Amino acid sequence: MSAASNLVELLQMPFLQRALLAGLFTGALGGLLGSVAVLRQLSFFSDALGHSALLGITVAILLNLNPTLVLVPFAVLFALGIDRLASRSRLPTDALLNIVYSSSLALAVLALSRVPSYRGGIDQLLFGDILGVSWLDLSLILLLLLAAGSYLVLSRRTQILLTLDEPLAISRGVAAGSHRLLFIVLLAVVVAISIKAVGVLLISAFVVIPACASRLVSRRFSAYGLLAAGLGAGCAVVGLLLSALFNLPSGPAVVLVQLLGFLIALALAPLLR
Amino acid sequence: MAAAILEVDHLTVRREAATVVDDVSFSLQPESDTALVGPNGAGKSSLVQALLGILPRCSGSIRLLGEPLGPRGQLPAAVRDRLAYLPQTLTLRGRIPLSVAEFVALGYERPGLSLPWRGHSGRSGAVRSALARTDSSDLAERLISDLSTGQLKRVLLAFCVVRPRSLLLLDEAQAGLDSQASEQFHSLLYGLRRREGWTILQVSHDLEMVRRSCDMVLCLNRSLRCSGSPDHALSPSQLEHLYGPGFVPYHHHHASQPTPR
């Protein structure tokens, strides 16, 4: 009884309302983009970008700027740079990502250790602060959700063909190079915008876990993308409510709810075959 | 003589630093069935991919159904609609939540931007008919990643047949099939070609099949070594010229030969 009244009371707090909306949008966005990303072997890309983003945040702190303003261009440069490097060097992309993200992380930690005020605040960067999301952050995330959603829905045939087989896609008249790059840049921007809420360590879970859960049980592509977005949004809201009720850190709470969803999908998969 | 379906003029393709297709010219007449043969690494797949704009070309010109292929693979959408490409296989990694019917529908519609609810009825009718014509109706609701090699080839053919095409480019369509499945695939392709009026260019290693059913043979080893009817192009002396000395033309001797058409 006290838990329920506690919840009603909490739900009236503007910061929690913002956090729930941010969770809803970020979760849907991560699930939606993740549905394409996991099929294109881009799971590690979002993980590495998340880790590298700590360097972007550090730069923002040193220059005293809004982190989101620095993170978006940082993420876009990261995506373009990796794409360039992968086609130039002919080394495997996962190895290149590893090189770039470890060195970004190393640079960031070294720089942060010189900023006295941030020695204690690193937890917030690592795990996010969804309760500190502002209305500006929220409207940015919503805009991005609308833009990414309409792009993916309108270009769904192009996305599916590119995911299946690039030569086949080109033979059907798909401008493969630009669409592939556009998707990576979009994924990078989504990761960058969501980092404030989710943190650099757990952001890739938002992209990977709901999409993989949906991949296990979906039998049609349209249902797959929608289910991934729905799972992402639902897990985020449930996780945030749990974190508010039991005073748990919000990012990890959401990720554990996502894991639960994944395990349920794993158990259901053989029944749906 | 009718206008050529495909005209290739002095085509050269490079991959990294190596020239893989060197100064190749040929043309395909409507409803002809042409085989592209040659040793491994002779540039057969590269040639086919360059014809579709998948690989960039270094020099030369390509005309498909009378329209020039742009330097970066640009081609009017109406011409793309009439081409179909059958890759060796699709490299599908893990479970892909895409049904066979959804996949075949991708061959029906142009891949550009569109709203999801447009053109549903025409599309599903075309997909059903394509699956029926390739003996694949029972696969419609299966996942594309759950198919066997033979089933996947039939579904790829359905992807080609789902809309009227003029030119089919096949990159080793028989790869990965055992001799029985290969025979079945080939008779399906042969029947469809007759009914649909397709012009075909196919990369093949099966010289017996080429002798039996193709009208023309292009022998490629980076450059075009010879071309002509199978009897001429696949004569022992031409084969030695193409594959090098020591090549023994192989013959299949099945217990029961399928009846020639």
Side-chain angles (χ1 to χ4, degrees):
Chain A
M1 207 55 222
S2 80
S5 62
N6 208 349
L7 185 63
V8 171
E9 209 169 289
L10 276 169
L11 282 175
Q12 284 160 356
M13 310 278 194
F15 76 89
L16 189 64
Q17 293 166 355
R18 280 198 302 271
L20 285 174
L21 282 177
L24 194 74
F25 299 156
T26 316
L29 200 50
L32 188 67
L33 266 86
S35 66
V36 176
V38 296
L39 292 181
R40 290 196 195 158
Q41 328 281 308
L42 289 171
S43 311
F44 187 53
F45 174 85
S46 56
D47 195 31
L49 174 57
H51 288 53
S52 307
L54 197 62
L55 180 60
I57 300 177
T58 309
V59 171
I61 290 167
L62 291 177
L63 299 177
N64 212 4
L65 291 168
N66 180 342
T68 308
L69 284 183
V70 179
L71 270 179
V72 172
F74 177 86
V76 171
L77 283 179
F78 177 92
L80 297 177
I82 289 287
D83 188 71
R84 244 323 172 45
L85 211 56
S87 60
R88 278 281 173 82
S89 69
R90 302 177 64 204
L91 285 170
T93 312
D94 62 339
L96 287 172
L97 282 169
N98 205 311
I99 294 170
V100 174
Y101 101 70
S102 349
S103 32
S104 306
L105 209 54
L107 261 176
V109 171
L110 281 183
L112 275 180
S113 70
R114 317 289 297 176
V115 186
S117 58
Y118 263 81
R119 271 186 197 153
I122 198 154
D123 268 16
Q124 235 172 51
L125 299 180
L126 295 183
F127 298 109
D129 181 16
I130 202 156
L131 301 178
V133 169
S134 67
W135 287 113
L136 175 71
D137 297 325
L138 200 56
S139 26
L140 266 179
I141 298 175
L142 180 61
L143 265 182
L144 194 59
L145 176 62
L146 292 176
S150 14
Y151 168 65
L152 288 183
V153 168
L154 290 175
S155 69
R156 68 203 172 284
R157 292 190 206 116
T158 294
Q159 305 303 336
I160 300 172
L161 277 170
L162 267 182
T163 301
L164 284 178
D165 193 67
E166 194 163 311
L168 188 69
I170 299 172
S171 80
R172 298 283 301 133
V174 169
S178 32
H179 276 289
R180 195 168 39 85
L181 207 56
L182 187 57
F183 182 80
I184 294 181
V185 168
L186 193 59
L187 182 61
V189 172
V190 167
V191 168
I193 300 254
S194 313
I195 270 179
K196 184 161 181 196
V198 187
V200 298
L201 280 188
L202 295 178
I203 179 65
S204 65
F206 276 66
V207 174
V208 176
I209 300 181
C212 283
S214 174
R215 183 175 176 176
L216 283 172
V217 294
S218 304
R219 299 201 61 89
R220 296 189 79 86
F221 208 88
S222 40
Y224 165 60
L226 287 177
L227 180 61
L231 269 177
C235 291
V237 169
V238 173
L240 285 173
L241 286 175
L242 288 177
S243 102
L245 269 180
F246 300 106
N247 200 18
L248 302 166
S250 54
V254 173
V255 172
L256 284 182
V257 175
Q258 289 174 339
L259 176 68
L260 191 67
F262 175 77
L263 291 175
I264 293 173
L266 201 60
L268 284 179
L271 307 175
L272 295 172
R273 223 165 269 283
Chain B
M1 199 175 255
I5 294 286
L6 170 70
E7 289 166 274
V8 178
D9 199 29
H10 298 292
L11 175 68
T12 297
V13 181
R14 280 192 228 282
R15 263 190 155 157
E16 308 301 328
T19 301
V20 288
V21 174
D22 190 10
D23 195 25
V24 167
S25 305
F26 66 94
S27 65
L28 301 182
Q29 295 308 311
E31 304 196 25
S32 60
D33 186 351
T34 303
L36 189 57
V37 305
N40 288 329
K44 304 183 295 291
S45 295
S46 301
L47 173 58
V48 167
Q49 296 204 341
L51 297 179
L52 289 161
I54 298 167
L55 275 184
R57 64 180 185 271
C58 176
S59 63
S61 72
I62 296 165
R63 295 180 84 85
L64 293 143
L65 316 184
E67 292 288 336
L69 179 76
R72 276 175 293 124
Q74 311 94 314
L75 204 58
V79 176
R80 285 272 176 211
D81 282 345
R82 302 198 65 85
L83 304 178
Y85 167 62
L86 223 117
Q88 275 187 34
T89 183
L90 296 179
T91 39
L92 304 173
R93 282 159 297 213
R95 186 182 206 271
I96 313 281
L98 180 74
S99 73
V100 165
E102 280 181 302
F103 171 70
V104 174
L106 293 172
Y108 179 73
E109 286 162 308
R110 290 181 187 170
L113 302 185
S114 73
L115 296 168
W117 48 87
R118 295 289 298 275
H120 180 72
S121 60
R123 179 176 63 213
S124 53
V127 169
R128 256 200 313 277
S129 148
L131 288 170
R133 277 177 286 160
T134 50
D135 307 331
S136 311
S137 296
D138 55 326
L139 302 176
E141 294 308 314
R142 295 273 295 277
L143 290 189
I144 187 97
S145 53
D146 284 350
L147 302 180
S148 70
T149 313
Q151 289 169 334
L152 184 60
K153 300 269 173 175
R154 290 203 324 260
V155 167
L156 282 168
L157 263 187
F159 185 90
C160 297
V161 82
V162 71
R163 122 187 314 281
R165 315 276 187 195
S166 300
L167 175 62
L168 234 71
L169 297 152
L170 291 85
D171 192 354
E172 284 190 52
Q174 272 106 328
L177 295 177
D178 61 34
S179 62
Q180 193 193 356
S182 173
E183 204 62 60
Q184 276 167 1
F185 176 82
H186 191 254
S187 70
L188 184 61
L189 175 66
Y190 195 84
L192 283 172
R193 177 207 153 200
R194 281 292 152 90
R195 250 174 290 146
E196 302 280 326
W198 285 339
T199 305
I200 291 183
L201 177 65
Q202 52 180 324
V203 173
S204 185
H205 282 295
D206 186 347
L207 300 184
E208 265 319 302
M209 185 280 291
V210 170
R211 275 200 184 90
R212 271 205 321 266
S213 64
C214 292
D215 317 314
M216 190 164 88
V217 177
L218 302 170
C219 300
L220 187 76
N221 197 352
R222 285 203 321 168
S223 58
L224 205 55
R225 294 304 169 91
C226 77
S227 64
S229 69
D231 288 341
H232 165 71
L234 299 182
S235 68
S237 65
Q238 291 289 4
L239 286 176
E240 188 170 316
H241 179 57
L242 177 65
Y243 288 90
F247 174 78
V248 184
Y250 53 90
H251 295 277
H252 293 299
H253 290 295
H254 298 297
S256 63
Q257 286 284 352
T259 45
R261 260 161 252 262

